[in-house]
Structure formats: C-alpha cells, structure tokens
Amino acid sequence: MSVISLLLVSAFALPAAASSPNSSESAEESAVHVDLDADGAATVSLVSIYDLTDPDERDAFETLREDDSTQDELLDRAADRFDSVATNAETNVEREMTVVAESADVSVSDDRGIVTLSVTWEGLAAVEDDTLVVTEPFASGFDADRPLVVTAPTEATIESSTPEPTTQDETRATWDAETDLDGFELTVSGAATASDDASDGTPGFTRGVALVAVGITVASLAANRR
C-alpha cells in the first residue's frame, strides 16, 4: 500500500501532537502530543513518521506534500473523528468539549516522511483558578500504538500524574506506547491566562502551536468508546 493510501485509510484514526518545541522538523518518533493551554484548551496532535528509503514511497510522499486538497481532507477527517471522541467524553467530565481543525503539515527529513495534523480541543482540561486537571478521553479506553506526551502551559508545573509516566519533568510527562492509561489524571498548577498576566504586568500567555498527525490511534480510541 502506498504512503498516500495508508494515510487516507488511517486518517480516521488518531490524535497526535507536537508543540512548538516538538515541530515536525524535529520529531524523532511517532507520538500523540497534548499541548495544554492555561484556559483548559489544548492542541492535540498525532505525529506519524514514515520510512522513505524506498524511492517509490518517497515519490508518493512528495506527491502528498504538494497536494493541499488531500492534506485538507486528512485534516477534516481527523477533526471530525476527534470531535466525535470529544462528544462522548463530555458525558464523563460534565463540561462542553469542542474540536476545531487547526493545521496539517507534511515534511521530509532525510529518509523520514513526517505527517502532522493538528486540532484545537476546547475544554480538554478542567480549570479551577490556576489549576488544570486532565482526565478524559485518556482515562477510559485510550489505546495508542505510540507514546503519549503531555506538555504544561508556559510557566505552569505538573504537580501529579496517574499512572506514573515513563519520564517526567516539571513541564512534560511521557507515557510509552501501549501503557495502560485507565484512570488517567494529570494535574497542573500555575497556569496563568493572558488576562491574569495582563493584570500584574507580566507578558501575556501565548498558545503553543501543535499538530495532529494521522495514524491508527483515533480510530481505536473512538472504537473503545462505542
């Protein structure tokens, strides 16, 4: 199956992400990224990386890179799938969630093809003062074939996370692929919004850019919620 065919088949599938520091140009592996904002929104992205050592696969990928309409189609399908997942998750979190398509990026780095699709997910985290709490859709049936990476907003700190991440520092937590995330909960403190910053004279918060690439994860996430 060609790269383009594979992407079209799996476009109904997965969220992945990359924030500014994790742009497609620097991505080392396929991953699901969640780049949190202080207002509870997030850019949720799937970065999917393909081996382009085969000349035919490279040619197919280059065709995709030049085809804006196909990229838009992939992004729209991914956004629709995410929106369906968000609608189901609303029942468990008792707050509104909405998903809006943000951007698609297709790039080549050496012998790697990198596809990144990005959506903005409003209401992903619960917000109370400067504290964010993320549970769904990861706490119930989330099944990814790649790592999950959650990044705190600017100047915020991760206070606790369940299950225990594979790696974690003050601002980022990573769970390896196939980790059982049932009961997932991550708490972030010190998340100041732009209006909070303006009131004390400090620079306003700027939302990080993130991308969601196609893979098979969104599909499996949606399937587990049916």
Side-chain angles (χ1 to χ4, degrees), residues 2-52:
S2 72
V3 170
I4 292 178
S5 298
L6 177 61
L7 288 170
L8 287 170
V9 168
S10 58
F12 305 93
L14 190 113
S19 60
S20 299
N22 297 314
S23 68
S24 59
E25 292 299 327
S26 62
E28 294 299 327
E29 62 179 346
S30 298
V32 178
H33 291 258
V34 178
D35 190 11
L36 292 169
D37 198 350
D39 63 1
T43 303
V44 180
S45 313
L46 170 71
V47 177
S48 293
I49 299 179
Y50 300 89
D51 183 357
L52 302 183

Side-chain angles (χ1 to χ4, degrees), residues 161-165 175 179-185:
S161 50
T162 302
E164 182 177 356
W175 290 263
T179 298
D180 183 356
L181 298 177
D182 282 355
F184 181 94
E185 181 171 306

